[in-house]
């Protein structure tokens, strides 16, 4: 479980400064994440296989600075290989 506040000295809505998240390991190789980024839902997952780890996330990005007009959702996929 994680909670953080950022950019406290900037003049923007307090909701834009709050992030909250929770990660749960279901198996030795699978973890899921959920949370709130700027009070909007975000999700993610990790799959850790023998030589390859996959991380995926869906998270919001504010459309305009210093507003709460809406969010544009972004998807991210990371593939890592270890030897």
């Amino acid at each position: 479980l994680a909670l953080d506040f950022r950019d406290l000295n900037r003049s923007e809505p307090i909701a834009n400064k709050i992030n909250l998240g929770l990660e749960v390991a279901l198996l030795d190789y699978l973890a899921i994440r959920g949370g709130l980024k700027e009070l909007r839902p975000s999700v993610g997952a990790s799959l850790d296989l023998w030589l390859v780890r996959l991380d995926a996330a869906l998270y919001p990005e504010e459309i305009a600075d210093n507003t709460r007009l809406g969010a544009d959702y972004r998807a991210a996929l990371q593939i890592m290989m270890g030897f």
Side-chain angles (χ1 to χ4, degrees), residues 38-56:
E38 300 175 355
L39 298 181
R40 293 188 175 97
S42 61
V43 295
S46 295
L47 182 61
D48 194 357
L49 302 174
W50 183 53
L51 289 175
V52 176
R53 178 180 168 144
L54 303 172
D55 285 323

Side-chain angles (χ1 to χ4, degrees), residues 5-49:
F5 298 91
R6 60 183 173 81
D7 300 327
L8 294 177
N9 60 342
R10 295 181 67 188
S11 61
E12 57 183 64
I14 189 70
N16 288 4
K17 302 175 183 184
I18 300 172
N19 295 303
L20 172 68
L22 176 66
E23 179 178 274
V24 177
L26 299 176
L27 303 167
D28 288 339
Y29 56 88
L30 179 63
I32 59 169
R33 293 178 290 281
L36 299 173
K37 180 180 186 282
E38 300 175 355
L39 298 181
R40 293 188 175 97
S42 61
V43 295
S46 295
L47 182 61
D48 194 357
L49 302 174

